Amino acid sequence: ASKLPRSPKNVWMRKAVGHIAAKAVKLTAVSGRHWRGLLHKPMCQKPKPHARRARGLVRPTGIEPESVLQASIEEIRALSQRALLAHGAGDLQAAEVARAISRAEETGNIICGLYYLESYCIQLASGRVSGTAEPVVIEARPGFISVDAHFGFAQPAYAKGLPVLCEAARSNGFAALGVGHAHTCTSLGYFTEQIAGQGLIGLGFTNASAIVAGPGGKSPILGTNPIAITLPGMGAPNMNADISTAAVA
């Protein structure tokens, strides 16, 4: 099971995330900036109690935080999938994104878990990301596979390309998979972990603007998007590193 953060400043809001997923309702009452601010900016002012009641985000009373905020990984996956489907995602897309959310919560990576669910739903409703785009896998040459996500989610695009990637790696000794025209992929370690699960070494990179100088340097040459590497092991990875190039990313 996953224990979501329990600080007094975000108990009621983290409960609201689960409530929205369980009811599969449209997220129209609270803006993304305000929601994320309540979760992650301690100095942010919460809305007044009457405003919370009007939005259905009332702080639960008479319930211990542990009983409110404990949820199994399967519950997180299922409720996230329901919320994504309610906001226009297709079956494949909702299933793959919900699987990534639940895995992030399972590993304690809360920034890439339920924290992103509201953003996904809002962007589905606004049309910024296509919830029904079908990824197209292209084997450009031996050892190189590309997947066009057609402005949909990265997770289903990767799921389509992974079997082809692994087969190419076994045939050629090395293979690369590029996913383009995709929404944010969040945690790269989630993807390299799946490669390692097939008995292969997984390396993951994503493009970013140059804003970080290298060690001892002054000119920015690196981005803050993550770099990941996962080494396979017996039953579980021997190592799974998912890092940024800066303390603030």
Side-chain angles (χ1 to χ4, degrees):
S2 172
K3 276 193 177 180
L4 311 183
R6 299 198 301 262
S7 76
K9 292 183 175 62
N10 65 22
V11 163
W12 70 273
M13 187 54 76
R14 296 292 286 180
K15 172 63 176 177
V17 174
H19 174 78
I20 285 173
K23 296 298 183 181
V25 298
K26 299 294 181 180
L27 297 172
T28 56
V30 184
S31 72
R33 179 181 299 176
H34 182 62
W35 191 298
R36 286 189 290 274
L38 287 172
L39 279 173
H40 295 281
K41 295 179 181 178
M43 298 305 293
C44 175
Q45 182 181 2
K46 298 186 182 74
K48 295 179 180 180
H50 65 81
R52 297 202 299 267
R53 284 194 293 271
R55 293 169 176 167
L57 302 177
V58 181
R59 184 196 304 269
T61 58
I63 304 175
E64 291 299 320
E66 287 78 3
S67 64
V68 172
L69 296 174
Q70 285 189 359
S72 71
I73 298 305
E74 175 55 26
E75 287 172 328
I76 291 173
R77 186 207 61 77
L79 297 177
S80 297
Q81 184 170 347
R82 286 179 58 187
L84 291 162
L85 288 169
H87 287 79
D91 291 340
L92 169 67
Q93 292 78 4
E96 289 300 327
V97 175
R99 187 162 69 96
I101 290 172
S102 62
R103 179 58 178 160
E105 291 287 345
E106 184 178 18
T107 58
N109 184 3
I110 62 171
I111 295 299
C112 297
L114 287 171
Y115 173 83
Y116 255 98
L117 178 58
E118 183 235 5
S119 176
Y120 289 149
C121 291
I122 287 176
Q123 292 180 52
L124 279 167
S126 70
R128 183 180 177 188
V129 59
S130 171
T132 56
E134 287 294 332
V136 175
V137 179
I138 303 167
E139 296 185 63
R141 59 184 66 90
F144 179 71
I145 298 94
S146 65
V147 182
D148 189 340
H150 287 291
F151 303 99
F153 288 109
Q155 292 85 352
Y158 181 82
K160 287 272 190 174
L162 179 62
V164 184
L165 169 69
C166 294
E167 180 60 34
R170 293 188 179 98
S171 298
N172 298 283
F174 173 87
L177 168 68
V179 177
H181 300 143
H183 191 268
T184 178
C185 66
T186 61
S187 169
L188 277 180
Y190 170 73
F191 302 101
T192 57
E193 182 181 49
Q194 295 177 60
I195 295 173
Q198 298 297 314
L200 303 167
I201 296 172
L203 294 168
F205 311 91
T206 184
N207 60 304
S209 300
I211 59 175
V212 179
K218 295 182 179 179
S219 301
I221 58 173
L222 301 171
T224 60
N225 278 349
I227 299 168
I229 177 170
T230 310
L231 305 180
M234 295 295 293
N238 279 333
M239 183 186 79
N240 188 13
D242 189 355
I243 62 174
S244 176
T245 60
V248 178

